[in-house]
Each structure stands twice: as structure tokens, then as C-alpha cells.
Amino acid sequence: VTFLYYTALHAVVSTLVLYAARQFHLGPQRLGELMAALGLSTMISEAVLVRLAIPLLGETSCMRIGLISFALQCVLLAVADSQWHLFACAFLAMAGNLVYPSISSLVSSTVRPEMVGRALGAVNGVKSLTEGVGPLVFGTLLTMSEKDKFPGWPYFLAAIMVAFAYQACRALPDDCENYTSDFYIQTTPTRNGQHKVVVTSMLEEESCSLLDGSEEADNDDR
């Protein structure tokens, strides 16, 4: 979900100014207004919407809402034929900004406490990777489509990527409060001073604890 969403997001962010200037002939003042509108939507989303929506709806639902909103934003950019369509994207971006806070909260609530840092580091690593992939690929596609009849068609590809991210998001559990990861990683020291990595299933751990409990009960009866 993170890779698909952020590849599309960085594609839009890195090419929007160029697209607006070339296709809609926006001057510096109008471009500044567009960037201000996008910045305002981000500020409202992170300061107000995230604080209200995630506790009320849950991480998974907010993630799905954000992905739908961003997909609509990409489609609107692809078919835009007027300047106000670009400013309408700023409104859709308000809900689209729910995705990453929902991902971070979901990771924090589903991964064992000692693994939260590693999990969030992995997510941020994927996010950083997309900062290079998205602009590189979609910048090239936008240059190729500049003289086409439908110059915004690369944004359709971004919308398709977001649709795949939404499909992956549907596999996530709806009720995340009572969900924990089935597997976690432990490191155990060996005799030579090195550490051995062991992947342990929580079901196996529960079974072992039940067996240990039953053995202790048998010993007490004896």
C-alpha cells in the first residue's frame, strides 16, 4: 500500500506545477495560489481531520477513504480542462492526507511493541524509495504526453496504482484494536557471543504456555 500510494503521490506532487504551467498557462501568481491551496488543505487535514477521523472511523477505514479521494484527484487531473479543476484537487487532497497517518497508526497498533521502530523504519524506507521512482517515471511520461490530445493521461496510471493500493488495503483487518501480528522476531544470544534471529508464531507461544501450565498443574497434583 505504501509503495503504490507514495509512488503515485510523488508523481503528482513533482509534476503538478509543470503540468499547470504548460497546459493551463498559469503564471507565478496563480501557481502560488495553487500551492497555497494545497498547503492549506494539508494543514487542515493534519491539524483537524486526522484527529477526528481516525479515532472515530479507525485506521483501515480512513486509509480507504484517503485512497479513494486521492484516486479521484488523479482522475480529475487527467481529465482537467480548466484551471478550477486544479484547485478542486486541493479539496480532494484534504481527505487524501489521511493515508499516511492511518498507516503509521495501524503499524503501531498491530506490531509488537519491541518491533514498532523497525516496522515504521521499513515503511519510511519504502516511502523514501518512491521519492525517486515516482518523479523519474512520471516526469518522463508527462514529457512524452505533452503534445498528445489528452496530455493528462499519465495521471490515469497514477489512479490505477492507487486502485491497486486500495485493493491491497481491503485485505487489512477492519477491527485493528484487537488485532496483533501473528509473527514476531526474537533474538537469542548464542555461546560464541552472536545473536540468533528466531521468528516465533504467537499461536506457538500460546500453545507452549498452555502446555507449561498443564505440566505445572500435573506436578502440583502429584
Side-chain angles (χ1 to χ4, degrees), residues 167-203:
Q167 186 66 25
C169 183
R170 292 182 60 186
L172 297 175
D174 290 325
D175 186 7
C176 298
E177 294 181 356
N178 299 323
Y179 175 82
T180 54
S181 178
D182 291 335
F183 296 93
Y184 64 96
I185 298 175
Q186 288 181 322
T187 58
T188 57
T190 59
R191 293 181 179 179
N192 57 5
Q194 297 179 350
H195 286 76
K196 179 175 66 175
V197 178
V198 180
V199 180
T200 306
S201 170
M202 293 185 67
L203 295 177

Side-chain angles (χ1 to χ4, degrees), residues 86-161:
L86 303 179
F87 287 89
C89 291
F91 177 77
L92 292 173
M94 195 177 301
N97 288 322
L98 288 172
V99 177
Y100 185 68
S102 300
I103 293 175
S104 300
S105 179
L106 183 64
V107 170
S108 300
S109 61
T110 56
V111 177
R112 292 180 66 90
E114 62 270 21
M115 297 299 298
V116 170
R118 295 184 184 182
L120 290 176
V123 171
N124 287 325
V126 173
K127 178 183 173 184
S128 299
L129 177 64
T130 62
E131 292 179 2
V133 175
L136 177 64
V137 174
F138 281 86
T140 303
L141 293 176
L142 195 66
T143 302
M144 293 170 56
S145 66
E146 184 177 356
K147 297 182 180 180
D148 290 350
K149 185 177 180 180
F150 298 103
W153 64 261
Y155 295 115
F156 277 124
L157 298 180
I160 292 173
M161 294 185 68

